Amino acid sequence: MNKLINMRTNKINNFIYGLLAVFTLTITSCDKDFLEKTDPGSGSVDGFFQGEDEFVLGVNGVYNSLYAAGYFTNFWGGNYFHMHMEFETLSDNGVGQDCGWRGYANFACGIMTPASGGITWYKWNYGLGAISKINQLLSIIPNVTFSAGMDSKWEAELKYLRGFLYADMADLYGGMPIITEPIDASEADAITRSTQAETYTQAISDLDFAIANLDTKPNNSEYGRPTKQAALMAKALAELNQKKYSESAATFAQLVALEGNDLGLVQLTLDPTTDEWEGLNRGTQETSKEIIWSMKAGPGNEGTGDYIPYGVAGDGDYNGWSGIKFTQDGVDAFEMADGTPIDKTDQDYIDDPLANRDPRMRKTFYFEGDEYWGGTIGDVAFGAVCCNGNLKAQSSVGIAPVFPRKTTTYTQEQKAQMATIEYGSPIDLNLFRYADALLLYAEALNEGGQTAQALAPLNQVRTRALMPAIAAGLSQAEMRAKILHERRVELYLEGKRYFDLRRQGTLMETINNNEGWKLHGGANYKSHYDIWPIPSETTDNNPNIAQNPGY
């Protein structure tokens, strides 16, 4: 399997990390300013990045800011995509293990402040830290000798990353400080926030450059690097988040037009020897044409520590403690195989509630009696979940006795890999895949008034999952509900539901109606939480950076 070797190999050793740290602006919690000033020794680094190979090592260092491998080394210190699955607890899909877990639960419990830390700190600081590295690398491109045509491709990869970050952070925080070149101490002190619209404009400018200059295959043929497909999806999503529905649909149409050898859906089958769908999120289809962009855990630095909380409890091979409690409502969302909702009064359902269901349900969750690593999941596992209590005793507040199947390893090759990892998983974090894109395309079409046209991409996802097609003739509201449902069951455990509900304006209502949070005193999500707080040390030390309303 062709992994992203340069990104995660021993070539990026401690020397390279140290060298990158000299010339990049890093963000630390104890600094007076939200940006640390450029090190006076940065000139020596310019001399290091003379050839393309050295420059690529610098590019790889940006990814390390976003998603570093290893558990004890990086997990507790966070990263940009830290514990991405925890977004499921900010929805009707799951419940966190307490009210302060890694920042996510602070929102659900109603105790989020600018000083809460966790994910709100990680996104802001690691995001701006990566942008600082990107700006430094972009500034030295004219001084580096590249092979023919590669200067624009590496520039496009860097601008994709900056565009993705600015679009993502604009969605979460609103207006951001827009920094597009290296800055000195006095410039850092004078930085202010731009508007959210201006931040999106900068992001889309970067993504347009990436679209024009990236190929449909990743640079150096290394999976995990962005492609034209990734840039189109990031741009279309940024437009959708701004409610620019016609623009978003047009950009998604450009992406769909690329469907072929490098882009498409894989088939779900009931035969595990031929099924490819399950492997998309379990690490056996990491070069699939369905995966548009992922954070890799490749050779040399194997391990995604952020998946550690999501294993089957007590399993020594996976090291998991199953850090999310999943809702019965989420399990019940998976329809019958004929496309009808479940009927709990039907005798066939009463006899076997798992039979004749949407096949994605059994490929998303482990249920009692399922085999896992040669054993059978039974009562002991459900009663011994670290930090979550006895799952079977929580049905009164809507918790289902299930474990995550997505994100867990299941092959002997993976088991061997795990023996070489420091409490990590060899599974990549998928950020964009084609099913996600098609359903967002359907959403953009429907919200833009093209409800009939939204049916085709919706049904493309359903039918490949062996579910019956939705019939024509739906109203816009009915289509909206169908798309939201399809995204829920197709993308369960992938951290998408939070963002879907937020776009639709139903996030607060949904979280506060999630009765599972009664285990932690009840949910109390507040409307102003839809825009995240700026970390307090930033606003405390930089009066030009205004805090968001409500905090």
Side-chain angles (χ1 to χ4, degrees):
M1 187 176 292
N2 184 9
K3 304 286 282 185
L4 180 45
I5 295 175
N6 280 338
M7 186 180 304
R8 302 283 191 192
T9 60
N10 289 329
K11 291 181 180 179
I12 311 177
N13 51 30
N14 291 334
F15 168 74
I16 293 297
Y17 289 144
L19 197 59
L20 286 171
V22 171
F23 89 100
T24 56
L25 297 169
T26 14
I27 301 170
T28 61
S29 60
C30 57
D31 261 339
K32 172 184 177 294
D33 298 301
F34 85 105
L35 288 176
E36 188 176 301
K37 307 306 184 289
T38 305
D39 191 288
S42 62
S44 63
V45 180
D46 291 337
F48 176 81
F49 291 104
Q50 293 179 344
E52 186 172 343
D53 289 346
E54 291 88 354
F55 187 84
V56 172
L57 290 177
V59 175
N60 294 345
V62 176
Y63 291 86
N64 187 256
S65 293
L66 298 177
Y67 198 71
Y71 179 53
F72 288 119
T73 305
N74 296 288
F75 177 82
W76 296 110
N79 56 66
Y80 189 79
F81 298 108
H82 183 65
M83 296 186 70
H84 187 74
M85 273 180 60
E86 287 290 324
F87 276 116
E88 296 294 273
T89 68
L90 298 180
S91 72
D92 44 4
N93 281 353
V95 175
Q97 63 187 41
D98 60 41
C99 276
W101 182 241
R102 315 311 282 167
Y104 292 95
N106 299 60
F107 285 111
C109 291
I111 58 173
M112 174 55 68
T113 74
S116 293
I119 191 61
T120 58
W121 192 96
Y122 300 145
K123 292 280 190 186
W124 179 269
N125 287 290
Y126 287 108
L128 286 175
I131 288 170
S132 298
K133 291 182 178 183
I134 290 166
N135 291 339
Q136 288 281 357
L137 286 162
L138 288 171
S139 73
I140 63 173
I141 283 178
N143 304 325
V144 177
T145 302
F146 293 95
S147 52
M150 289 306 297
D151 53 343
S152 63
K153 294 189 185 304
W154 291 116
E155 181 180 357
E157 180 163 331
L158 289 166
K159 286 188 174 179
Y160 167 83
L161 293 170
R162 189 172 67 184
F164 169 85
L165 288 167
Y166 268 131
D168 196 46
M169 296 175 81
D171 181 43
L172 294 171
Y173 297 100
M176 292 293 298
I178 297 177
I179 312 166
T180 59
E181 57 187 29
I183 57 176
D184 61 25
S186 61
E187 291 170 321
D189 286 334
I191 283 176
T192 60
R193 292 176 68 186
S194 298
T195 66
Q196 185 181 51
E198 289 168 339
T199 308
Y200 273 124
T201 296
Q202 174 60 49
I204 288 176
S205 174
D206 281 338
L207 293 170
D208 279 337
F209 185 91
I211 291 166
N213 291 278
L214 288 175
D215 293 330
T216 58
K217 295 186 183 297
N219 287 343
N220 283 0
S221 297
E222 293 169 348
Y223 288 91
R225 298 193 186 280
T227 58
K228 184 185 295 290
Q229 301 92 285
L232 283 165
M233 182 160 182
K235 178 184 177 182
L237 178 57
E239 291 166 332
L240 183 62
N241 284 335
Q242 296 176 82
K243 302 186 185 303
K244 295 182 176 181
Y245 300 123
S246 60
E247 293 94 327
S248 178
T251 304
F252 275 122
Q254 293 179 59
L255 175 62
V256 170
L258 297 175
E259 189 172 318
N261 292 333
D262 297 323
L263 178 70
L265 297 177
V266 299
Q267 186 59 45
L268 183 152
T269 72
L270 300 181
D271 181 352
T273 65
T274 60
D275 178 60
E276 295 180 274
W277 187 90
E278 185 171 15
L280 292 172
N281 293 96
R282 301 188 74 188
T284 62
Q285 297 290 328
E286 292 174 343
T287 63
S288 168
K289 65 181 180 179
E290 181 158 340
I291 298 175
I292 295 176
W293 190 46
S294 62
M295 287 286 111
K296 307 297 284 186
N301 246 341
E302 197 72 75
T304 47
D306 290 301
Y307 276 156
I308 289 304
Y310 310 118
V312 175
D315 177 71
D317 292 310
Y318 189 71
N319 304 300
W321 68 77
S322 198
I324 295 178
K325 298 177 279 285
F326 296 101
T327 64
Q328 189 63 51
D329 180 74
V331 176
D332 292 346
F334 290 85
E335 299 167 329
M336 302 303 293
D338 63 3
T340 59
I342 65 169
D343 179 0
K344 294 189 177 182
T345 66
D346 182 82
Q347 189 60 49
D348 288 339
Y349 177 87
I350 294 171
D351 291 340
D352 187 352
L354 304 184
N356 300 315
R357 299 285 292 276
D358 181 331
R360 291 171 292 190
M361 183 185 72
R362 297 301 301 266
K363 296 175 183 291
T364 299
F365 299 109
Y366 277 116
F367 295 85
E368 185 173 11
D370 286 346
E371 293 184 1
Y372 183 67
W373 283 123
T376 301
I377 298 173
D379 278 341
V380 173
F382 290 109
V385 182
C386 167
C387 319
N388 272 342
N390 188 328
L391 293 177
K392 286 190 171 183
Q394 298 170 8
S395 61
S396 62
V397 290
I399 301 303
V402 296
F403 292 118
R405 187 178 182 105
K406 278 184 178 179
T407 76
T408 60
T409 56
Y410 66 117
T411 70
Q412 290 300 317
E413 179 185 3
Q414 290 174 321
K415 191 171 186 179
Q417 284 178 308
M418 294 189 71
T420 69
I421 306 170
E422 182 190 39
Y423 301 100
S425 162
I427 301 174
D428 298 341
L429 171 66
N430 293 333
L431 298 169
F432 294 149
R433 60 184 178 95
Y434 192 46
D436 184 7
L438 286 170
L439 294 173
L440 290 175
Y441 182 30
E443 180 179 332
L445 288 167
N446 186 55
E447 297 301 332
Q450 296 180 277
T451 297
Q453 291 85 344
L455 194 61
L458 169 62
N459 279 334
Q460 192 174 348
V461 175
R462 278 184 66 82
T463 56
R464 79 78 178 262
L466 306 180
M467 293 297 290
I470 301 295
L474 298 182
S475 68
Q476 185 184 51
E478 290 169 334
M479 178 64 77
R480 181 180 299 121
K482 291 293 186 183
I483 293 169
L484 196 60
H485 167 268
E486 195 63 25
R487 287 186 60 78
R488 186 181 193 184
V489 296
E490 172 70 28
L491 303 169
Y492 214 122
L493 274 72
E494 296 181 43
K496 304 287 185 178
R497 181 75 169 167
Y498 164 83
F499 296 96
D500 293 345
L501 296 170
R502 194 161 159 264
R503 279 196 312 278
Q504 296 296 339
T506 60
L507 181 62
M508 180 173 71
E509 175 187 359
T510 302
I511 293 175
N512 289 341
N513 286 332
N514 184 344
E515 62 178 348
W517 281 103
K518 291 178 181 178
L519 294 168
H520 309 303
N524 187 25
Y525 187 92
K526 300 170 183 176
S527 59
H528 68 272
Y529 287 172
D530 283 3
I531 296 295
W532 287 11
I534 309 301
S536 57
E537 66 255 21
T538 294
T539 55
D540 290 347
N541 294 323
N542 294 271
N544 293 325
I545 304 294
Q547 184 56 266
N548 282 322
Y551 295 102

